[in-house]
Amino acid sequence: MEKIVQRVTSVCHTDRVWLREFLAEFLGTFLLVFIGNNSVAQSVLSSESAGKFISVNFGYGFAVTMGVLVAGGVSGGHINPAVTLTLALVGKFPFRKVAHYVVAQYLGAFLAAGATYVVYIDAINSYEAGSNRPIMGDGATAGIFATYPQTFLSEEVGFADQVFGTGILLAVVCALSDPKNRVPKSLVPLFVGLTVVAIGMSMGFNCGYPINPARDLAPRFFTAIAGWTWRVFTIRTWSYIPLVAPHVGGLLGALIYMFFIEAHSPHDDQLPVAADRDSKEMEIKQV
Protein backbone atom coordinates (compact mmCIF):
# COMPACT_ATOMS: atom_id res chain seq x y z
CA MET A 1 0.00 0.00 0.00
CA GLU A 2 2.82 2.37 0.88
CA LYS A 3 4.43 1.83 -2.52
CA ILE A 4 1.13 2.53 -4.27
CA VAL A 5 0.73 5.78 -2.34
CA GLN A 6 4.29 6.82 -3.17
CA ARG A 7 3.74 6.03 -6.85
CA VAL A 8 0.51 8.00 -7.00
CA THR A 9 2.15 10.90 -5.17
CA SER A 10 5.08 10.94 -7.58
CA VAL A 11 2.75 10.93 -10.57
CA CYS A 12 0.56 13.73 -9.17
CA HIS A 13 3.46 15.89 -7.98
CA THR A 14 3.98 19.18 -9.76
CA ASP A 15 6.70 21.80 -9.44
CA ARG A 16 4.54 24.44 -11.09
CA VAL A 17 3.89 27.00 -8.39
CA TRP A 18 0.74 28.38 -10.01
CA LEU A 19 -0.81 24.93 -10.20
CA ARG A 20 -0.04 24.19 -6.56
CA GLU A 21 -1.62 27.49 -5.59
CA PHE A 22 -4.62 26.77 -7.81
CA LEU A 23 -5.17 23.38 -6.16
CA ALA A 24 -4.76 24.82 -2.67
CA GLU A 25 -7.26 27.64 -3.26
CA PHE A 26 -9.66 25.21 -4.91
CA LEU A 27 -9.60 22.79 -1.97
CA GLY A 28 -9.68 25.51 0.68
CA THR A 29 -12.69 27.22 -0.90
CA PHE A 30 -14.40 23.85 -1.41
CA LEU A 31 -14.12 23.14 2.32
CA LEU A 32 -15.36 26.61 3.23
CA VAL A 33 -18.49 26.41 1.08
CA PHE A 34 -19.22 22.72 1.65
CA ILE A 35 -19.06 22.84 5.45
CA GLY A 36 -20.66 26.28 5.63
CA ASN A 37 -23.59 25.53 3.33
CA ASN A 38 -24.10 22.14 4.96
CA SER A 39 -24.57 23.91 8.29
CA VAL A 40 -27.28 26.04 6.65
CA ALA A 41 -28.89 22.97 5.09
CA GLN A 42 -28.98 21.15 8.40
CA SER A 43 -30.65 24.12 10.07
CA VAL A 44 -33.19 24.85 7.31
CA LEU A 45 -34.17 21.30 6.42
CA SER A 46 -34.66 20.29 10.06
CA SER A 47 -36.72 23.42 10.77
CA GLU A 48 -33.95 24.38 13.20
CA SER A 49 -34.28 21.21 15.28
CA ALA A 50 -30.76 20.13 14.23
CA GLY A 51 -29.20 23.57 14.06
CA LYS A 52 -30.01 27.22 14.62
CA PHE A 53 -28.58 30.55 13.49
CA ILE A 54 -25.79 30.31 16.06
CA SER A 55 -24.72 26.92 14.69
CA VAL A 56 -24.61 28.37 11.17
CA ASN A 57 -22.33 31.16 12.40
CA PHE A 58 -19.94 28.74 14.04
CA GLY A 59 -20.26 26.35 11.11
CA TYR A 60 -19.06 29.01 8.71
CA GLY A 61 -16.41 30.24 11.11
CA PHE A 62 -14.94 26.77 11.54
CA ALA A 63 -15.27 26.19 7.80
CA VAL A 64 -13.15 29.28 7.14
CA THR A 65 -10.62 28.09 9.71
CA MET A 66 -10.41 24.71 7.99
CA GLY A 67 -10.10 26.24 4.53
CA VAL A 68 -7.35 28.68 5.53
CA LEU A 69 -5.52 25.96 7.45
CA VAL A 70 -5.58 23.54 4.51
CA ALA A 71 -4.61 26.07 1.83
CA GLY A 72 -2.50 28.47 3.87
CA GLY A 73 0.84 26.71 3.61
CA VAL A 74 0.76 26.77 -0.19
CA SER A 75 -1.32 29.76 -1.29
CA GLY A 76 -1.79 31.82 1.85
CA GLY A 77 -5.37 30.62 2.18
CA HIS A 78 -7.24 33.51 0.59
CA ILE A 79 -10.30 31.36 -0.32
CA ASN A 80 -12.13 34.59 -1.18
CA PRO A 81 -11.86 36.70 -4.37
CA ALA A 82 -12.37 39.87 -2.32
CA VAL A 83 -9.29 39.02 -0.27
CA THR A 84 -7.19 38.19 -3.33
CA LEU A 85 -8.11 41.27 -5.35
CA THR A 86 -7.89 43.63 -2.39
CA LEU A 87 -4.41 42.46 -1.40
CA ALA A 88 -3.31 42.87 -5.01
CA LEU A 89 -4.75 46.40 -5.23
CA VAL A 90 -2.94 47.54 -2.07
CA GLY A 91 0.36 46.02 -3.17
CA LYS A 92 0.44 43.06 -0.79
CA PHE A 93 -0.05 40.38 -3.46
CA PRO A 94 1.21 40.09 -7.07
CA PHE A 95 -1.41 40.87 -9.71
CA ARG A 96 -0.12 38.09 -11.96
CA LYS A 97 -1.55 35.52 -9.55
CA VAL A 98 -5.02 36.99 -9.22
CA ALA A 99 -6.51 35.13 -12.19
CA HIS A 100 -5.69 31.57 -11.18
CA TYR A 101 -6.55 32.25 -7.52
CA VAL A 102 -9.99 33.61 -8.39
CA VAL A 103 -10.79 30.88 -10.92
CA ALA A 104 -9.84 28.24 -8.36
CA GLN A 105 -12.04 29.89 -5.72
CA TYR A 106 -15.11 30.06 -7.95
CA LEU A 107 -14.62 26.50 -9.19
CA GLY A 108 -14.15 25.16 -5.67
CA ALA A 109 -17.31 26.94 -4.49
CA PHE A 110 -19.33 25.63 -7.43
CA LEU A 111 -18.35 22.01 -6.87
CA ALA A 112 -18.92 22.41 -3.13
CA ALA A 113 -22.50 23.50 -3.86
CA GLY A 114 -22.89 20.39 -5.98
CA ALA A 115 -21.56 18.25 -3.14
CA THR A 116 -24.02 19.82 -0.68
CA TYR A 117 -26.81 19.06 -3.15
CA VAL A 118 -25.75 15.40 -3.33
CA VAL A 119 -25.58 15.07 0.46
CA TYR A 120 -28.94 16.77 1.11
CA ILE A 121 -31.00 16.07 -2.02
CA ASP A 122 -33.31 13.61 -0.24
CA ALA A 123 -33.80 16.01 2.65
CA ILE A 124 -34.49 18.88 0.22
CA ASN A 125 -37.12 16.85 -1.64
CA SER A 126 -38.75 15.83 1.63
CA TYR A 127 -38.73 19.38 2.99
CA GLU A 128 -40.21 20.86 -0.17
CA ALA A 129 -42.91 18.15 -0.27
CA GLY A 130 -43.56 18.45 -3.98
CA SER A 131 -43.26 22.22 -4.31
CA ASN A 132 -41.21 23.47 -7.23
CA ARG A 133 -37.87 24.56 -5.75
CA PRO A 134 -38.99 27.73 -3.90
CA ILE A 135 -36.41 30.52 -3.85
CA MET A 136 -37.71 32.89 -1.15
CA GLY A 137 -40.45 32.76 1.44
CA ASP A 138 -41.89 29.83 3.38
CA GLY A 139 -40.34 26.50 2.50
CA ALA A 140 -37.58 28.12 0.41
CA THR A 141 -34.41 26.07 -0.09
CA ALA A 142 -32.35 28.27 -2.43
CA GLY A 143 -30.98 30.06 0.63
CA ILE A 144 -29.08 26.91 1.56
CA PHE A 145 -26.68 27.63 -1.27
CA ALA A 146 -26.63 31.41 -1.76
CA THR A 147 -27.74 34.46 0.20
CA TYR A 148 -31.05 36.29 -0.09
CA PRO A 149 -32.18 39.47 1.66
CA GLN A 150 -34.90 39.81 4.24
CA THR A 151 -38.15 41.17 2.80
CA PHE A 152 -37.64 44.48 4.59
CA LEU A 153 -34.06 45.02 3.41
CA SER A 154 -33.54 47.80 0.86
CA GLU A 155 -30.96 47.57 -1.88
CA GLU A 156 -28.94 50.46 -0.48
CA VAL A 157 -28.77 49.08 3.05
CA GLY A 158 -27.99 45.61 1.74
CA PHE A 159 -25.06 47.00 -0.22
CA ALA A 160 -23.81 48.92 2.82
CA ASP A 161 -24.19 45.80 4.96
CA GLN A 162 -21.80 43.89 2.73
CA VAL A 163 -19.36 46.78 2.49
CA PHE A 164 -19.11 46.98 6.27
CA GLY A 165 -18.89 43.20 6.74
CA THR A 166 -16.16 42.63 4.20
CA GLY A 167 -14.34 45.76 5.32
CA ILE A 168 -14.07 44.33 8.82
CA LEU A 169 -12.83 41.03 7.43
CA LEU A 170 -10.07 42.64 5.36
CA ALA A 171 -9.02 44.97 8.15
CA VAL A 172 -8.47 41.92 10.36
CA VAL A 173 -6.70 40.03 7.55
CA CYS A 174 -4.33 42.98 7.14
CA ALA A 175 -3.76 43.08 10.89
CA LEU A 176 -2.99 39.36 11.00
CA SER A 177 -0.52 39.67 8.13
CA ASP A 178 1.13 42.81 9.57
CA PRO A 179 4.62 41.77 10.76
CA LYS A 180 4.45 44.44 13.47
CA ASN A 181 1.70 42.45 15.22
CA ARG A 182 3.80 39.28 15.30
CA VAL A 183 0.78 36.98 15.16
CA PRO A 184 1.94 33.32 15.15
CA LYS A 185 1.29 31.85 11.72
CA SER A 186 -0.31 28.79 13.27
CA LEU A 187 -3.03 30.94 14.86
CA VAL A 188 -3.99 32.90 11.75
CA PRO A 189 -6.63 30.37 10.52
CA LEU A 190 -8.32 30.39 13.92
CA PHE A 191 -8.40 34.18 14.14
CA VAL A 192 -9.82 34.52 10.63
CA GLY A 193 -12.49 31.97 11.47
CA LEU A 194 -13.40 33.75 14.70
CA THR A 195 -13.65 37.01 12.75
CA VAL A 196 -16.21 35.41 10.44
CA VAL A 197 -18.13 34.12 13.47
CA ALA A 198 -18.18 37.64 14.93
CA ILE A 199 -19.37 39.16 11.66
CA GLY A 200 -22.10 36.55 11.33
CA MET A 201 -23.32 36.93 14.91
CA SER A 202 -23.48 40.72 14.59
CA MET A 203 -24.42 41.24 10.91
CA GLY A 204 -26.00 38.02 9.69
CA PHE A 205 -29.66 38.95 10.10
CA ASN A 206 -30.10 41.20 7.07
CA CYS A 207 -28.86 38.92 4.33
CA GLY A 208 -26.68 36.11 5.65
CA TYR A 209 -23.30 37.90 5.44
CA PRO A 210 -21.89 36.47 2.17
CA ILE A 211 -18.73 38.71 2.38
CA ASN A 212 -17.24 36.39 -0.27
CA PRO A 213 -18.22 36.64 -3.95
CA ALA A 214 -17.24 33.03 -4.69
CA ARG A 215 -19.25 31.71 -1.76
CA ASP A 216 -22.38 33.36 -3.20
CA LEU A 217 -22.12 33.58 -6.98
CA ALA A 218 -20.87 30.08 -7.76
CA PRO A 219 -23.51 28.27 -5.64
CA ARG A 220 -26.17 30.64 -7.02
CA PHE A 221 -25.17 29.60 -10.52
CA PHE A 222 -25.36 25.96 -9.44
CA THR A 223 -28.92 26.40 -8.18
CA ALA A 224 -29.87 28.06 -11.46
CA ILE A 225 -29.01 24.89 -13.37
CA ALA A 226 -30.12 22.45 -10.67
CA GLY A 227 -33.82 23.25 -10.68
CA TRP A 228 -34.28 26.60 -8.99
CA THR A 229 -34.18 28.30 -12.43
CA TRP A 230 -32.48 31.53 -13.45
CA ARG A 231 -34.87 33.46 -11.23
CA VAL A 232 -32.19 33.11 -8.54
CA PHE A 233 -30.45 35.96 -10.38
CA THR A 234 -33.52 38.10 -11.04
CA ILE A 235 -35.70 37.77 -7.95
CA ARG A 236 -35.50 41.20 -6.36
CA THR A 237 -32.48 43.40 -7.15
CA TRP A 238 -29.99 41.48 -5.08
CA SER A 239 -27.70 39.00 -6.85
CA TYR A 240 -25.17 41.65 -7.91
CA ILE A 241 -24.68 42.90 -4.33
CA PRO A 242 -22.80 39.84 -2.93
CA LEU A 243 -20.58 40.04 -6.01
CA VAL A 244 -19.76 43.76 -6.05
CA ALA A 245 -20.11 45.02 -2.47
CA PRO A 246 -17.50 42.67 -0.93
CA HIS A 247 -14.87 43.98 -3.35
CA VAL A 248 -15.73 47.56 -2.44
CA GLY A 249 -15.78 46.82 1.27
CA GLY A 250 -12.62 44.74 1.16
CA LEU A 251 -10.63 47.53 -0.45
CA LEU A 252 -12.01 50.13 1.97
CA GLY A 253 -11.23 47.92 4.96
CA ALA A 254 -7.64 47.36 3.86
CA LEU A 255 -7.11 51.07 3.14
CA ILE A 256 -8.58 52.07 6.49
CA TYR A 257 -6.25 49.68 8.32
CA MET A 258 -3.28 51.00 6.37
CA PHE A 259 -4.23 54.63 7.02
CA PHE A 260 -5.13 54.30 10.70
CA ILE A 261 -2.61 51.66 11.80
CA GLU A 262 0.04 50.55 9.34
CA ALA A 263 1.08 54.01 8.18
CA HIS A 264 1.91 55.03 11.75
CA SER A 265 3.85 51.93 12.78
CA PRO A 266 7.54 52.47 13.64
CA HIS A 267 10.04 51.61 10.97
CA ASP A 268 11.93 48.37 11.31
CA ASP A 269 15.16 50.20 12.10
CA GLN A 270 13.46 51.87 15.06
CA LEU A 271 12.25 48.69 16.70
CA PRO A 272 15.62 47.51 18.10
CA VAL A 273 16.20 50.97 19.59
CA ALA A 274 12.88 50.81 21.41
CA ALA A 275 13.63 47.26 22.50
CA ASP A 276 17.03 48.29 23.86
CA ARG A 277 15.48 51.21 25.74
CA ASP A 278 12.84 48.97 27.29
CA SER A 279 15.55 46.48 28.24
CA LYS A 280 17.66 49.17 29.91
CA GLU A 281 14.65 50.51 31.77
CA MET A 282 13.94 47.01 33.03
CA GLU A 283 17.52 46.64 34.21
CA ILE A 284 17.29 49.93 36.09
CA LYS A 285 14.06 48.86 37.78
CA GLN A 286 15.62 45.55 38.78
CA VAL A 287 18.62 47.32 40.28
Side-chain angles (χ1 to χ4, degrees):
M1 185 65 181
E2 183 178 352
K3 291 183 179 180
I4 295 176
V5 172
Q6 290 177 347
R7 183 174 298 179
V8 172
T9 302
S10 64
V11 171
C12 295
H13 175 76
T14 178
D15 290 323
R16 297 179 179 179
V17 175
W18 74 266
L19 182 55
R20 293 169 57 195
E21 293 169 339
F22 181 95
L23 294 173
E25 286 296 306
F26 169 85
L27 182 58
T29 310
F30 179 94
L31 288 173
L32 159 61
V33 176
F34 181 66
I35 300 298
N37 281 0
N38 281 4
S39 70
V40 179
Q42 184 163 287
S43 176
V44 170
L45 300 176
S46 70
S47 298
E48 295 193 341
S49 65
K52 297 184 181 299
F53 186 60
I54 186 68
S55 68
V56 173
N57 290 325
F58 277 102
Y60 258 107
F62 291 143
V64 169
T65 297
M66 294 164 61
V68 175
L69 181 63
V70 167
V74 177
S75 65
H78 293 187
I79 63 174
N80 184 338
V83 173
T84 300
L85 185 57
T86 293
L87 294 181
L89 288 172
V90 299
K92 297 179 180 293
F93 184 73
F95 258 106
R96 70 179 186 278
K97 294 187 177 185
V98 169
H100 68 265
Y101 268 59
V102 170
V103 171
Q105 291 156 0
Y106 277 105
L107 182 59
F110 179 84
L111 293 182
T116 294
Y117 184 80
V118 169
V119 169
Y120 280 104
I121 180 59
D122 290 341
I124 290 173
N125 290 335
S126 175
Y127 181 80
E128 292 178 346
S131 58
N132 188 24
R133 293 288 186 262
I135 298 174
M136 294 183 67
D138 295 337
T141 51
I144 291 171
F145 300 90
T147 62
Y148 293 87
Q150 297 281 7
T151 55
F152 57 76
L153 189 68
S154 67
E155 182 178 344
E156 297 78 12
V157 174
F159 195 96
D161 179 285
Q162 287 309 288
V163 169
F164 277 110
T166 318
I168 293 169
L169 175 63
L170 263 295
V172 174
V173 167
C174 288
L176 292 172
S177 61
D178 190 339
K180 304 294 191 308
N181 287 329
R182 301 178 181 176
V183 178
K185 186 177 180 181
S186 59
L187 292 179
V188 169
L190 177 60
F191 288 147
V192 176
L194 290 176
T195 300
V196 172
V197 172
I199 293 171
M201 293 178 70
S202 61
M203 301 183 65
F205 179 59
N206 279 339
C207 54
Y209 67 107
I211 63 174
N212 183 335
R215 167 263 180 277
D216 189 272
L217 180 61
R220 190 181 300 274
F221 183 77
F222 174 83
T223 56
I225 62 178
W228 282 266
T229 75
W230 295 99
R231 289 184 63 243
V232 298
F233 285 100
T234 59
I235 190 167
R236 296 193 57 180
T237 308
W238 172 254
S239 61
Y240 84 94
I241 291 177
L243 176 63
V244 178
H247 287 295
V248 176
L251 181 58
L252 288 176
L255 291 175
I256 288 172
Y257 178 83
M258 294 172 69
F259 179 78
F260 280 85
I261 306 296
E262 191 173 307
H264 311 292
S265 298
H267 297 294
D268 291 336
D269 58 357
Q270 293 178 328
L271 292 177
V273 175
D276 290 343
R277 183 177 64 249
D278 294 341
S279 178
K280 289 179 180 179
E281 289 178 354
M282 182 63 70
E283 290 177 1
I284 293 173
K285 289 179 181 180
Q286 290 176 346
V287 173

